Amino acid sequence: MWIKNAQDPGYDATVVNLLLENGAQILGKTNCDEFGMGSLSIHSFFKPVINPFTPANVPPAKKSEPRSAGGSSGGSAAIATHKLCFAALATDTGGSTRLPAAYCGVAGLKPSYGLISRWGVIAFADSLDTVGIIASKVENIRRVYVILIPVESDVVAQYDERDPTSVPVDIRNAAHDACEHFPVLEDINDLGKLRIGIPQEYFPAELGDTVLKPFRRVLQALEQRGASLIPVSLPSTKYALSAYYVLASAEASSNMARYDGVRYGMQYRPPYDADLSKTSDVYAHTRSFYFGKEVKKRILLGTYALTAESVHNVSVMEHIPNQPIFRAFDNYYLKAQELRKLIRQDFNNVFRIPNVLQSSNTSKTTTTQGVDILLHPTTIRTAPLLSEISDKGLDTYVQDVLTVPASLAGIPAISIPSIADDGWPVGTSIVGQWGSDEKVLKVAELMEKLMHETDSKTLT
Amino acid sequence: MAWMGSGHWSRDAMTSQLGVEANTSYSAIDAAWPGTLPKLNKSCVDLAVRTALACGANVQSFSAFDRKHYFYADLPAGYQITQKYAPLSLGGEVRISGSFGEKTIRLQQIQLEQENLKAIDLNRAGSALMELVSYPDMRSPEEAAAYVKTLQTLLRTVGSSDANMEQGSFRCDVNVSVNRPGDPFGTRCEIKNLNSVGFLITALNAEIYRHIELLDQGNQVIQETRGFDENRMITYKLRSKEDAPDYRYMPDSNLPPLILTQAYLQSIKAFLPEHPDHLRKRLVEQYGFNQQDVNVLLSIDAGRDVPFDGETGQSAVSFFEETVKGRNPKTVFNWIVNELVAQLVLHKRTFGQSPLSQAQLGDLIDLVETRKISIFINVEDCIKGTAAKDILRHILRTGAIEDIATLQANLGLMTIDVADVRMFCETAIGDFPDVAERVRQGNKKVLMKLVGAAMKLSNGRADANLVKTCLEDILIHRTI
């Protein structure tokens, strides 16, 4: 609702500029969860996004009941489904590009953190936010990707000095060089050199047969063409969802602070008997009225995660370092940061390519032990009916359980669609080492072809 | 805390200038527009590192940025970027002196911060700020004032800030605690945002006597944050310790940690301007100044305005040292202090705004010293260099950049040796002895005939008034 009355900020996002410069046309803006907070595109001032996917071989009666398009970038996935656009931009903080892509039966890429500029992207959680690309075909994603992130190392890569988290050119080139150890995949029928890791922690109890069956078919097809399937363990995965919600909410509570109704967006006029003795009292009216329910929930959660529990222990003069005080900040935020490191380390342990962002790992030569990519289902289920969604409990948060680890680690992940037995789409995620986005896209293109074959086999 | 002259926190943000109309020069970043990202300005880091090194502080190879949250009208993003957990430097010291003798004030840390808005003027938002935190080493308002003044000089000397309190480039938060001799420190109160040395002293005295009165009456001092009312000269309560906001510090995810290599620190050290303590000593030894002169020279206006991003630039001292080469130090000093600065003050301008170049001043001084320029009334005035002062005022008024010879010609101020003028006058008297005699007897009307004759001899180069005065001096006043 903040955006409803938004003024023109007077500048374009870097991604928009790059696309326009390269001849793209911007068709419009799409619906999404407010500030990207949500997994089902139901938290929008403009009503939920309805999943436009039409299953084949499903009785017409069942089709009519609306399903979620997934979120938060549900609108972007929805318009890509019926090819209303060549590709759609999205954001991905914990799965917001991959999840709706999976539910709508399209492909969705979350690139490595730091490759695409966030200048002009409204921040939800700065350390996790990435610009994603959604399209009906991986090829389309690649065409947008090469505009936003040129791959040849001799081309000036799209480092953006306006984004302090934009990775400098030398590190981009280092990642490019590290990828030379990635197996060459030319022939779809000869994947003998490709080592695919299947992380055992990505099959939680909530994951149903609907998802497992098509995933197994994908694995079979890959194995038949010579790819090695290697079971791997990412032991810290079980903490990922909790760590993610603490960190993302903490950052969100900070980023939402600027929406006070003074400089942009909507302003709520307090009743005239209201106590306005403090600045925050004035802001509270606008913030209470115009923020959506989910956003307020996360602001509260994040605010608590950053709070010093016992105010009496905090010195008024806040400059004294190393004060031994016990705070929610230590118990939640710092713990979550530590977990994030473990999760990142888990990934570095299994990949064959070193992570060029970690200086200690740069000397590490490519091992024969590691895997080239990881493969796992994108979601625990197919798109839920809008009528069965309850915002009580943790149901909506569990949607993200398979997508948040890659976000926490900042590594590239793409979801490509296949069709479950009930005719609705599910996604398979291909996850690679930081900076191997190009290779992840390559594998995705091969698998897209394979899945066309397997899906058409099962449907006939 | 000091607002750094290199200005902006962010390279993309517009240059912020003091004196600009409210809310006219801010960028989207400053207004914390959604989608904008902060950027650390490298020259801000350079200047802060300079300051830290000048204080002998231990500059950290790793420092990082945190967000400090609170809701206030001067804070568009709802948080301020600061360095809570890993500051730029630790330790260091500042030596102060005064009627209390000499003393060393220890520093806890120096941290970089993002400046908030000044009131609700967005022009100021997003500027870079450096906060210096000292240990409780000061025992009186005089020591606190000396500390502030010493810091101002230091900041100006290393070029990191103009340290101008009136324009808000330099502000202090001070803590006050009172105890009986031999007792441990009493409960402290913090007074926020003092913006002049005068107010600092007044506020400290007011607060000290408030504490003493409370303690004498057997009451306790409550730890709280206070403000200073400049009109009533008293401090007042802002908030108690219990009301202290929870700032919910959090690492800033946008600005990466600041990694400073030894090579970088060496490069800053190599170009570190002279420490004020050393500079004082040198000025005394090299130019024979007394402490009074040195104080005057060092205190001239804002010394260094810092638009040069750390260039040592034109401070009064460097201006002096450039000009004094091959000239008399006292003469140059007098010209800078009594003429240049006096004129600047008259026109309400800072030293940094002076258009006078070092070469122009040098030439002016030389002309006067060699007695080649003057509209002298008598020989005394000739030495005072009235014409030279006219040229100086002309330059200050118009910002003329031409060399002195050109300006002289333009202004009709002739270069002529005083001795020459006198010679022309004496020749004229010799040529017309009867006319001279009539002048001696009091007939001033015929003086003009002699003036005309002398002017003719000088081929019109001499100033008529000057010739007239010279003739009067010879024939009537008989002063020459």
Side-chain angles (χ1 to χ4, degrees):
Chain A
M1 186 141 180
W2 286 97
I3 313 298
K4 191 180 148 205
N5 205 14
Q7 304 94 319
D8 183 346
Y11 70 96
D12 274 329
T14 300
V15 282
V16 171
N17 274 332
L18 284 171
L19 289 172
L20 291 174
E21 280 166 19
N22 285 278
Q25 288 175 35
I26 306 293
L27 297 179
K29 295 175 185 176
T30 54
N31 197 0
C32 60
D33 281 305
E34 189 184 7
F35 290 110
M37 297 181 198
S39 309
L40 296 163
S41 289
I42 52 173
H43 305 297
S44 168
F45 172 74
F46 304 98
K47 305 281 166 60
V49 179
I50 294 168
N51 195 323
F53 188 86
T54 319
N57 309 334
V58 170
K62 275 207 166 179
K63 274 186 212 170
S64 60
E65 217 187 325
R67 291 184 182 234
S68 163
S72 63
S73 299
S76 298
I79 61 159
T81 305
H82 284 311
K83 300 175 188 158
L84 294 176
C85 58
F86 180 80
L89 291 183
T91 58
D92 193 312
T93 305
S96 289
T97 295
R98 293 159 283 161
L99 191 71
Y103 282 171
C104 292
V106 290
L109 169 73
K110 178 204 97 73
S112 299
Y113 181 85
L115 289 188
I116 297 184
S117 170
R118 290 187 296 119
W119 176 258
V121 177
I122 292 181
F124 159 11
D126 295 287
S127 75
L128 296 154
D129 291 346
T130 50
V131 174
I133 310 164
I134 297 179
S136 56
K137 288 188 290 185
V138 178
E139 187 197 330
N140 294 10
I141 292 184
R142 178 186 289 280
R143 297 240 343 242
V144 174
Y145 171 91
V146 294
I147 290 171
L148 303 181
I149 318 170
V151 278
E152 294 82 6
S153 56
D154 56 342
V155 173
V156 177
Q158 295 298 3
Y159 164 73
D160 185 1
E161 66 162 15
R162 284 170 301 184
D163 177 358
T165 59
S166 182
V167 172
V169 175
D170 56 334
I171 298 180
R172 289 170 194 253
N173 288 342
H176 185 80
D177 295 345
C179 284
E180 277 170 12
H181 304 291
F182 204 91
V184 181
L185 305 168
E186 290 303 335
D187 184 358
I188 189 172
N189 290 314
D190 177 18
L191 302 178
K193 288 181 187 137
L194 186 63
R195 294 170 62 85
I196 300 172
I198 313 297
Q200 62 186 49
E201 290 81 5
Y202 281 61
F203 300 89
E206 294 90 346
L207 191 92
D209 264 359
T210 344
V211 173
L212 268 182
K213 277 185 171 174
F215 185 70
R216 285 210 182 95
R217 284 198 292 271
V218 172
L219 293 187
Q220 266 168 10
L222 285 166
E223 207 165 22
Q224 278 164 13
R225 282 160 178 84
S228 324
L229 302 184
I230 300 147
V232 295
S233 174
L234 302 168
S236 304
T237 305
K238 54 179 173 290
Y239 308 116
L241 196 63
S242 317
Y244 169 80
Y245 272 99
V246 169
L247 295 176
S249 304
E251 292 192 39
S253 75
S254 173
N255 284 326
M256 293 302 113
R258 69 191 58 197
Y259 301 98
D260 51 25
V262 175
R263 288 162 307 279
Y264 31 72
M266 310 296 286
Q267 187 173 43
Y268 183 82
R269 297 224 166 272
Y272 46 102
D273 55 346
D275 175 12
L276 301 177
S277 51
K278 284 187 201 157
T279 313
S280 51
D281 293 337
V282 183
Y283 295 171
H285 288 276
T286 297
R287 291 167 64 80
S288 305
F289 188 80
Y290 285 111
F291 276 136
K293 201 175 157 192
E294 181 64 22
V295 174
K296 280 190 265 193
K297 198 165 153 185
R298 298 201 192 191
I299 290 175
L300 290 174
L301 178 64
T303 301
Y304 178 67
L306 294 175
T307 298
E309 234 166 13
S310 170
V311 174
H312 291 279
N313 283 335
V314 182
S315 165
V316 173
M317 189 183 167
E318 70 273 6
H319 298 303
I320 297 179
N322 307 325
Q323 264 193 328
I325 41 179
F326 297 97
R327 305 171 294 186
F329 178 76
D330 305 294
N331 293 339
Y332 298 103
Y333 184 84
L334 288 185
K335 288 259 160 50
Q337 285 282 36
E338 282 164 31
L339 288 173
R340 187 174 185 178
K341 276 184 207 153
L342 293 178
I343 288 157
R344 211 175 272 154
Q345 196 50 50
D346 274 1
F347 283 111
N348 287 335
N349 290 343
V350 299
F351 283 124
R352 186 142 70 150
I353 302 174
N355 186 338
V356 294
L357 290 182
Q358 299 207 319
S359 46
S360 58
N361 268 5
T362 44
S363 56
K364 181 181 148 187
T365 46
T366 313
T367 61
T368 47
Q369 296 295 316
V371 299
D372 299 310
I373 51 148
L374 295 168
L375 217 58
H376 63 77
T378 307
T379 58
I380 52 170
R381 52 168 300 168
T382 52
L385 296 171
L386 284 172
S387 59
E388 67 177 335
I389 295 168
S390 136
D391 58 0
K392 296 207 171 60
L394 295 172
D395 284 4
T396 58
Y397 298 122
V398 174
Q399 302 285 331
D400 300 334
V401 69
L402 302 178
T403 50
V404 293
S407 291
L408 289 166
I411 54 179
I414 184 169
S415 176
I416 50 172
S418 56
I419 302 298
D421 289 354
D422 65 358
W424 282 88
V426 290
T428 302
S429 279
I430 306 160
V431 180
Q433 179 57 285
W434 189 92
S436 70
D437 304 47
E438 162 69 2
K439 300 298 175 189
V440 166
L441 275 172
K442 180 80 193 165
V443 175
E445 275 165 340
L446 289 173
M447 284 181 52
E448 191 177 47
K449 279 187 199 157
L450 282 179
M451 283 170 172
H452 266 297
E453 293 168 20
T454 51
D455 281 347
S456 48
K457 259 185 227 161
T458 41
L459 292 174
T460 49
Chain B
M1 48 186 104
W3 185 59
M4 284 192 285
S6 90
H8 246 262
W9 182 258
S10 138
R11 205 183 329 187
D12 286 292
M14 294 181 193
T15 311
S16 179
Q17 286 179 324
L18 297 176
V20 175
E21 198 185 325
N23 291 339
T24 53
S25 101
Y26 69 93
S27 73
I29 300 184
D30 300 338
W33 206 281
T36 57
L37 293 162
K39 183 128 192 166
L40 183 62
N41 184 337
K42 183 184 173 293
S43 53
C44 290
V45 177
D46 292 351
L47 296 180
V49 168
R50 252 186 204 193
T51 310
L53 290 173
C55 295
N58 184 7
V59 178
Q60 304 293 294
S61 58
F62 176 99
S63 70
F65 298 92
D66 307 298
R67 293 182 182 182
K68 174 182 181 178
H69 298 89
Y70 56 94
F71 286 113
Y72 203 66
D74 69 357
L75 200 60
Y79 57 81
Q80 178 194 25
I81 299 179
T82 179
Q83 294 192 300
K84 158 85 172 166
Y85 296 110
L88 183 78
S89 78
L90 295 171
E93 57 183 42
V94 174
R95 271 187 285 276
I96 60 169
S97 62
S99 54
F100 48 83
E102 295 207 352
K103 197 160 181 178
T104 299
I105 308 300
R106 294 167 301 148
L107 294 181
Q108 260 180 29
Q109 63 184 54
I110 298 178
Q111 66 207 33
L112 289 168
E113 291 188 345
Q114 188 178 25
E115 164 77 303
N116 301 331
L117 285 80
K118 193 181 177 192
I120 42 173
D121 178 358
L122 288 171
N123 291 345
R124 204 55 183 285
S127 307
L129 199 79
M130 172 170 56
E131 184 157 309
L132 294 94
V133 186
S134 78
Y135 279 97
D137 286 348
M138 287 156 266
R139 294 289 167 271
S140 68
E142 289 68 36
E143 290 184 17
Y147 172 67
V148 166
K149 284 181 187 162
T150 310
L151 266 186
Q152 281 179 307
T153 307
L154 181 81
L155 295 175
R156 285 168 192 164
T157 312
V158 301
S160 57
S161 171
D162 61 18
N164 190 321
M165 293 188 94
E166 282 67 33
Q167 292 183 326
S169 307
F170 186 96
R171 301 190 300 271
C172 325
D173 297 345
V174 286
N175 282 271
V176 173
S177 95
V178 167
N179 59 286
R180 291 200 166 80
D183 288 357
F185 286 147
T187 307
R188 70 161 181 269
C189 289
E190 184 181 15
I191 313 169
K192 287 202 105 58
N193 266 333
L194 296 171
N195 59 5
S196 87
V197 176
F199 289 148
L200 173 90
I201 295 175
T202 316
L204 282 174
N205 278 319
E207 185 63 9
I208 287 168
Y209 283 103
R210 191 182 70 86
H211 284 214
I212 291 175
E213 204 171 303
L214 280 171
L215 295 171
D216 278 350
Q217 290 166 356
N219 294 321
Q220 280 191 324
V221 175
I222 311 288
Q223 186 177 336
E224 57 195 16
T225 303
R226 300 178 71 84
F228 177 62
D229 184 332
E230 297 161 8
N231 298 316
R232 292 157 65 208
M233 299 291 189
I234 53 164
T235 66
Y236 60 92
K237 177 177 164 178
L238 284 173
R239 56 174 181 260
S240 69
K241 190 184 172 191
E242 284 69 28
D243 299 335
D246 181 345
Y247 291 123
R248 293 177 282 117
Y249 284 101
M250 176 187 95
D252 181 67
S253 308
N254 289 321
L255 290 176
L258 187 59
I259 311 287
L260 302 178
T261 61
Q262 278 307 314
Y264 167 79
L265 292 183
Q266 284 306 326
S267 74
I268 296 288
K269 245 179 220 163
F271 292 98
L272 197 62
E274 202 173 1
H275 192 283
D277 293 350
H278 186 264
L279 180 63
R280 279 173 181 281
K281 214 174 138 200
R282 193 169 61 78
L283 288 175
V284 170
E285 286 167 5
Q286 197 169 334
Y287 303 110
F289 285 159
N290 56 33
Q291 283 300 333
Q292 177 73 24
D293 295 340
V294 173
N295 285 342
V296 168
L297 204 54
L298 287 180
S299 67
I300 289 175
D301 199 343
R304 249 153 269 222
D305 300 325
V306 196
F308 309 106
D309 279 11
E311 277 180 35
T312 41
Q314 284 299 47
S315 71
V317 175
S318 73
F319 190 81
F320 166 79
E321 295 212 272
E322 282 300 310
T323 315
V324 83
K325 284 172 189 161
R327 301 191 176 97
N328 180 332
K330 194 68 194 169
T331 309
V332 177
F333 176 85
N334 284 338
W335 269 91
I336 290 176
V337 174
N338 298 333
E339 298 304 326
L340 176 57
V341 174
Q343 284 298 318
L344 288 170
V345 169
L346 201 66
H347 293 99
K348 297 194 172 69
R349 286 154 92 180
T350 66
F351 189 81
Q353 291 166 329
S354 163
L356 183 75
S357 76
Q358 171 266 319
Q360 285 174 323
L361 180 62
D363 285 352
L364 273 180
I365 293 173
D366 291 345
L367 283 173
V368 176
E369 289 297 296
T370 55
R371 304 194 178 178
K372 285 208 168 153
I373 182 170
S374 174
I375 49 162
F376 65 122
I377 305 302
N378 53 41
V379 178
E380 284 301 304
D381 279 350
C382 162
I383 296 163
K384 282 184 194 160
T386 319
K389 287 172 195 170
D390 276 357
I391 295 178
L392 188 141
R393 281 165 209 185
H394 175 79
I395 293 171
L396 295 186
R397 200 169 52 242
T398 62
I401 52 163
E402 293 90 346
D403 58 41
I404 297 298
T406 314
L407 288 171
Q408 236 182 298
N410 291 349
L411 293 170
L413 296 165
M414 300 302 167
T415 299
I416 189 160
D417 199 299
V418 179
D420 288 347
V421 173
R422 191 171 160 189
M423 192 190 76
F424 295 139
C425 290
E426 282 171 351
T427 311
I429 290 167
D431 288 351
F432 301 96
D434 52 329
V435 179
E437 191 51 38
R438 279 158 71 188
V439 174
R440 282 198 193 94
Q441 287 161 8
N443 188 347
K444 284 192 183 178
K445 284 178 191 166
V446 294
L447 180 68
M448 292 317 289
K449 190 176 166 97
L450 289 176
V451 172
M455 288 296 287
K456 205 172 172 183
L457 286 167
S458 78
N459 288 327
R461 282 185 303 138
D463 183 279
N465 281 325
L466 187 148
V467 171
K468 183 168 173 257
T469 315
C470 184
L471 285 167
E472 282 172 356
D473 284 347
I474 296 170
L475 299 174
I476 303 167
H477 308 125
R478 305 187 190 223
T479 47
I480 311 178

